């Protein structure tokens, strides 16, 4: 297969299809009551000629697109090229291929041809529409690794001796009934929901209040905590197994070496009660496992989350005490940002109040307005200062030999631990204001789904020189570790 | 790259002016009172396009890329300056693309895809066609 190959000729029908709808549209339009092609002076007279040229153009373009589309498989790559006006050439390394999917739509089934999608776990698939059924089969068999070579890790199906031995299971996190109640009452959904219910209850009167409260409690129970009921996380061999849920019980599993990030989250209310939550993100590009973002433990005593991280990653080499704070100038920057935000909110409030006062003809003296504005500005200064101080103490990063730890979040503290070997790319970002202040932010990217609930791992507002060193160090660290399939 | 960007900006300007000119004619015919909206928007579009044209040399100066040792590095941005470092062994896919204008200048855009969730694509908007092919082949074959 070292030479360039064309797709199956049925592809021409598909290529025409896109433009053919436009031709049909023109024909329908042409027979409509209000349209006359003669009304367009620069077109040749007669709709038939126009449609003929259009159809011939569509057919010609379809053939040209078909002829321009080629693929080939070499010893190390699969290569694809396509395009008449805009030409695309794509090369995917064979050792990075995660998935080869064969499918057939209605047209494919009629003509006995297939679509082959070759995915390397990224956003740029190679799609071959259409190839013959035999070619599709040959491509799949040739591109995927040979299943006759069994994995040697224990606990993986097909690994010889391991199948005859019982694999030990170790429970690393569990949520018993008392923990479940604690999780429930410290959850933001439940707490804010109940707070809203109390407010509504007070507003509409006590009599309607209790049935509403009961209903809301049941609702929030399912919304906020039903999915972690009877939560349990076990390590069995090289796999993490999680079971959870009350009504919809889920059993999930993921390979340990697919875990990209573990995040210890301490939401404000849960943190006040001395608890935290541990979540993880995997890169399940094969689609065989469904654990992309999940709980590792819904509720742990504050400080134990990192021990759980060590259970998965092994020794991480750094602790919370090693976190390097952001540049001091970040305090000033944070203060200005917070204060400006509050001033903008204040302006909106002031304008709204002024409209209400004018519309209702209320009598508000200038002195009262000045006092109110002064109080608001004073409170804004205090709040901005408290926010900024807390932000400064919450941000930080620490780099160990094999892991990097990043702390973010002001009210919802997030401590992310990323194995350096799992880093896909490192970005350094400097806005205009950051450049003036001599600071930068570093974004550490790992594999996984973009819809993941875990926010980006970003080291915020560190000195630019330190940022450059950090980016280089992490990039070099990732370069030194070759992952078998890139994730 | 600068001539290419200039032509693209001029094409954008011409298309924009045509659209707003047509809008002005239609509005002037239907409701002359509102035809100033098309003039205003057209004027803003012209100012925007001219600013874009003037900023092209600055944009160009901010663009840097290098492929040395084990990583690809790309720097860009006028107001927000961003640097991306991609370890060579994390590259999953390499794509080159060339439209009619790019082909006229023998240029291609080069996109490097990783499995990353936040920034899965790193794009170099215009490099010499032969260089793009060489990089694509090099990154596609080597570990």
């Amino acid at each position: 297969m070292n030479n360039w190959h064309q797709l199956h000729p049925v592809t021409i029908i598909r290529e025409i299809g896109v433009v053919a709808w436009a031709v049909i549209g023109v024909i329908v339009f042409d027979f409509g009551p209000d349209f006359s092609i003669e009304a367009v002076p620069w077109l040749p007279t007669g709709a038939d000629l126009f449609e003929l040229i259009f159809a011939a153009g569509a057919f010609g373009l379809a053939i040209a697109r078909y002829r321009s589309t080629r693929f080939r498989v070499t010893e190390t790559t699969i290569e694809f090229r396509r395009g008449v006006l805009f030409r695309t050439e794509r090369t995917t390394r064979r050792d990075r291929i995660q998935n080869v999917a064969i499918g057939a739509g209605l047209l494919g089934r009629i003509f006995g041809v297939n679509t082959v999608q070759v995915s390397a776990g990224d956003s740029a698939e190679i799609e071959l529409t259409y190839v013959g059924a035999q070619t599709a089969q040959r491509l799949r068999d040739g591109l995927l690794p040979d299943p006759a070579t069994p994995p040697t890790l224990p606990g993986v199906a097909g690994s010889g001796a391991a199948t005859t031995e019982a694999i030990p299971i170790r429970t690393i996190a569990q949520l018993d009934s008392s923990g479940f109640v604690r999780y429930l009452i410290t959850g933001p959904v439940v707490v804010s929901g109940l707070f809203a219910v109390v407010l509504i209850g007070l507003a509409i009167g006590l009599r309607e209040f209790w049935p509403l409260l009961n209903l809301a409690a049941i609702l929030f129970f399912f919304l906020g905590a039903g999915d972690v009921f009877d939560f349990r996380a076990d390590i069995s061999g090289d796999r993490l197994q999680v079971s959870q849920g009350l009504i919809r019980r889920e059993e999930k599993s993921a390979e340990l070496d697919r875990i990209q990030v573990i995040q210890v989250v301490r939401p404000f209310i849960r943190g006040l009660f001395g608890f935290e939550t541990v979540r993880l993100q995997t890169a399940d590009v094969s689609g065989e496992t469904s654990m992309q973002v999940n709980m590792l433990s819904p509720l742990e005593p504050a400080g134990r989350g990192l021990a759980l991280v060590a259970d998965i990653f092994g020794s991480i080499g750094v602790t919370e005490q090693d976190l390097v704070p952001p540049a001091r100038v970040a305090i000033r920057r944070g203060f200005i940002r917070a204060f400006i935000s509050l001033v903008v909110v204040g302006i909106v409030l002031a304008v709204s109040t002024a409209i209400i006062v004018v519309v209702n003809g209320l009598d508000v003296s200038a002195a009262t307005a000045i006092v109110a504005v002064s109080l608001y500005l004073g409170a804004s200064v205090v709040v901005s200062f408290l926010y900024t101080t807390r932000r400064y103490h919450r941000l930080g990063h620490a780099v160990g030999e094999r892991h990097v730890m990043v702390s973010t979040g002001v009210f919802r503290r997030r401590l992310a631990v990323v194995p350096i070997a799992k880093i896909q790319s490192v970005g350094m970002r400097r806005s205009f204001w950051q450049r003036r202040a001599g600071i930068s932010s570093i974004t550490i990217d790992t594999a996984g789904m973009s819809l993941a609930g875990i926010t980006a791992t970003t080291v915020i507002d560190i000195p630019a020189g330190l940022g450059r060193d950090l980016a280089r160090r992490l990039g070099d660290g990732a370069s030194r570790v070759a992952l078998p399939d890139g994730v | 790259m600068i001539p290419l960007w200039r032509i693209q900006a001029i094409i954008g300007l011409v298309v924009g002016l045509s659209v707003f000119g047509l809008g002005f004619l239609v509005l002037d015919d239907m409701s002359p009172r509102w035809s100033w909206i098309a003039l205003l928007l057209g004027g803003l579009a012209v100012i925007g396009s001219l600013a874009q044209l003037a900023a092209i040399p600055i944009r160009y100066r901010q663009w840097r890329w290098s492929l040395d040792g084990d990583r690809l590095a790309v720097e860009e941005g006028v107001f927000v300056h961003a640097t991306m470092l991609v370890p060579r062994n994390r590259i999953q896919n390499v794509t080159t693309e060339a439209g009619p204008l790019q082909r006229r200048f023998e240029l291609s855009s080069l996109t490097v895809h990783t499995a990353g969730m936040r920034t899965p694509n790193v794009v170099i908007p215009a490099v010499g066609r032969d260089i793009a092919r060489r990089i694509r082949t090099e990154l596609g074959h080597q570990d």
Side-chain angles (χ1 to χ4, degrees):
Chain A
M1 277 220 174
N2 230 330
N3 299 323
W4 288 97
H5 298 273
Q6 277 193 322
L7 300 177
H8 197 280
V10 174
T11 305
I12 298 172
I13 298 174
R14 181 177 176 268
E15 297 286 5
I16 292 171
V18 180
V19 192
W21 284 110
V23 178
I24 290 165
V26 168
I27 292 168
V28 171
F29 196 42
D30 185 26
F31 284 104
D34 302 327
F35 181 79
S36 164
I37 200 78
E38 284 78 14
V40 186
W42 42 270
L43 280 177
T45 311
D48 293 344
L49 181 62
F50 175 60
E51 283 150 20
L52 196 67
I53 293 169
F54 205 106
F59 192 67
L61 185 64
I63 290 179
R65 281 167 69 91
Y66 164 72
R67 286 178 61 86
S68 74
T69 308
R70 304 279 172 109
F71 71 95
R72 73 171 175 180
V73 180
T74 69
E75 291 291 314
T76 53
T77 62
I78 172 166
E79 293 171 35
F80 174 79
R81 60 165 67 153
R82 176 184 175 80
V84 182
L85 286 174
F86 293 88
R87 197 164 294 159
T88 300
E89 299 184 19
R90 188 162 288 166
T91 303
T92 295
R93 285 169 44 167
R94 288 178 61 176
D95 61 349
R96 292 293 156 93
I97 293 171
Q98 308 282 330
N99 227 346
V100 179
I102 298 180
L106 183 64
L107 195 65
R109 292 229 296 280
I110 291 170
F111 289 98
V113 290
N114 291 117
T115 295
V116 176
Q117 288 170 311
V118 182
S119 165
D122 57 4
S123 58
E125 277 188 347
I126 289 180
E127 184 180 306
L128 308 173
T129 309
Y130 295 102
V131 291
Q134 282 185 340
T135 311
Q137 204 65 45
R138 269 210 328 271
L139 278 169
R140 185 171 66 180
D141 295 345
L143 290 174
L144 284 178
D146 186 1
T149 314
T152 51
L153 291 167
V156 176
S159 58
T163 52
T164 58
E165 289 174 16
I167 302 161
I169 294 176
R170 186 161 59 92
T171 301
I172 57 167
Q174 199 167 9
L175 195 68
D176 56 19
S177 51
S178 63
F180 179 71
V181 173
R182 281 197 288 268
Y183 179 83
L184 194 70
I185 60 174
T186 59
V189 174
V190 175
V191 172
S192 54
L194 290 179
F195 184 66
V197 167
V198 169
L199 282 182
I200 295 168
L202 288 174
I204 63 175
L206 204 61
R207 196 170 165 188
E208 291 84 0
F209 176 64
W210 289 111
L212 189 66
L213 180 64
N214 289 336
L215 184 69
I218 294 166
L219 185 69
F220 289 129
F221 172 79
F222 288 116
L223 277 179
D227 60 337
V228 296
F229 186 81
D230 195 19
F231 180 93
R232 186 188 168 102
D234 300 315
I235 291 179
S236 167
D238 69 333
R239 296 188 81 81
L240 174 71
Q241 294 174 339
V242 170
S243 55
Q244 62 187 107
L246 176 63
I247 295 174
R248 187 168 169 268
R249 187 97 189 137
E250 285 183 298
E251 309 274 341
K252 301 171 180 177
S253 84
E255 286 175 43
L256 289 176
D257 69 358
R258 288 282 171 187
I259 295 172
Q260 309 286 317
V261 184
I262 302 183
Q263 209 177 54
V264 181
V265 187
R266 206 173 294 162
F268 186 65
I269 295 168
R270 193 159 291 154
L272 284 180
F273 283 89
F275 292 107
E276 57 195 17
T277 295
V278 187
R279 304 189 310 168
L280 60 85
Q281 179 176 306
T282 62
D284 292 335
V285 284
S286 66
E288 286 171 7
T289 53
S290 58
M291 197 191 303
Q292 279 150 4
V293 178
N294 213 310
M295 294 279 186
L296 184 57
S297 174
L299 199 79
E300 288 290 330
R304 221 203 80 74
L306 281 178
L308 211 54
V309 178
D311 267 351
I312 301 288
F313 284 155
S315 170
I316 52 176
V318 283
T319 64
E320 279 189 74
Q321 282 70 43
D322 299 323
L323 289 171
V324 178
R328 294 287 297 181
V329 71
I331 297 178
R332 196 182 67 196
R333 185 168 171 259
F335 179 83
I336 293 169
R337 277 173 55 176
F339 186 69
I340 288 174
S341 305
L342 287 172
V343 166
V344 169
V345 172
I347 290 170
V348 172
L349 283 174
V351 170
S352 316
T353 313
I355 291 170
I356 291 168
V357 166
V358 170
V359 167
N360 294 300
L362 300 174
D363 185 22
V364 179
S365 67
T368 311
I370 290 170
V371 169
V373 170
S374 306
L375 281 176
Y376 182 82
L377 286 177
S380 297
V381 169
V382 174
V383 169
S384 302
F385 177 75
L386 291 175
Y387 169 83
T388 310
T389 315
R390 190 178 169 89
R391 179 176 182 268
Y392 179 77
H393 288 112
R394 285 284 179 269
L395 300 180
H397 77 281
V399 187
E401 204 172 315
R402 292 186 300 122
H403 298 88
V404 56
M405 183 192 283
V406 180
S407 171
T408 50
V410 179
F411 297 106
R412 182 182 164 82
R413 206 264 176 103
R414 298 178 295 273
L415 197 65
V417 179
V418 184
I420 293 173
K422 293 293 182 188
I423 292 173
Q424 292 289 331
S425 66
V426 185
M428 179 170 150
R429 195 173 180 279
R430 302 181 71 196
S431 68
F432 178 71
W433 299 110
Q434 282 180 310
R435 286 210 297 280
R436 273 176 64 95
I439 55 177
S440 61
S441 295
I442 306 296
T443 303
I444 300 162
D445 198 13
T446 56
M449 302 294 285
S450 57
L451 48 88
I454 290 181
T455 48
T457 306
T458 306
V459 184
I460 298 169
D461 287 350
I462 56 172
L466 181 62
R468 260 189 295 274
D469 290 345
L470 178 65
R472 206 168 292 134
R473 189 171 164 192
L474 294 178
D476 288 348
S479 300
R480 279 197 291 274
V481 186
L483 301 170
D485 51 8
V487 294
Chain B
M1 198 145 136
I2 291 180
L4 175 70
W5 279 353
R6 279 194 178 135
I7 292 174
Q8 283 173 337
I10 290 167
I11 290 173
L13 179 64
V14 170
V15 171
L17 277 178
S18 310
V19 169
F20 286 116
L22 201 66
F24 174 75
L25 289 177
V26 171
L27 271 177
D28 199 42
D29 191 44
M30 288 166 60
S31 171
R33 275 178 62 203
W34 298 105
S35 56
W36 62 271
I37 294 176
L39 278 181
L40 178 72
L41 291 176
L44 288 175
V46 170
I47 293 168
S49 301
L50 291 177
Q52 198 187 349
L53 262 170
I56 283 173
I58 306 169
R59 262 179 75 197
Y60 177 75
R61 274 202 296 277
Q62 298 298 332
W63 260 105
R64 294 274 182 281
W65 67 273
S66 67
L67 182 64
D68 51 351
D70 292 332
R71 64 170 178 241
L72 172 74
V74 179
E75 287 180 35
E76 57 150 329
V78 179
F79 293 106
V80 177
H81 194 205
T83 307
M84 284 296 300
L85 298 177
V86 183
R88 188 187 280 242
N89 57 15
R90 294 293 178 273
I91 294 169
Q92 301 286 76
N93 247 317
V94 185
T95 305
T96 55
E97 275 180 287
L101 263 180
Q102 285 173 310
R103 288 213 294 278
R104 172 76 183 75
F105 287 96
E106 300 200 336
L107 295 170
S108 290
S109 74
L110 185 106
T111 308
V112 167
H113 307 269
T114 70
M117 64 171 167
R118 301 288 158 196
T119 45
N121 305 329
V122 177
V123 184
I124 305 171
V127 285
R129 192 168 54 196
D130 294 337
I131 299 173
R133 278 193 184 144
R134 187 168 53 76
I135 296 171
R136 186 167 54 84
T137 313
E138 196 183 326
L139 291 177
H141 284 272
Q142 237 174 275
D143 204 343

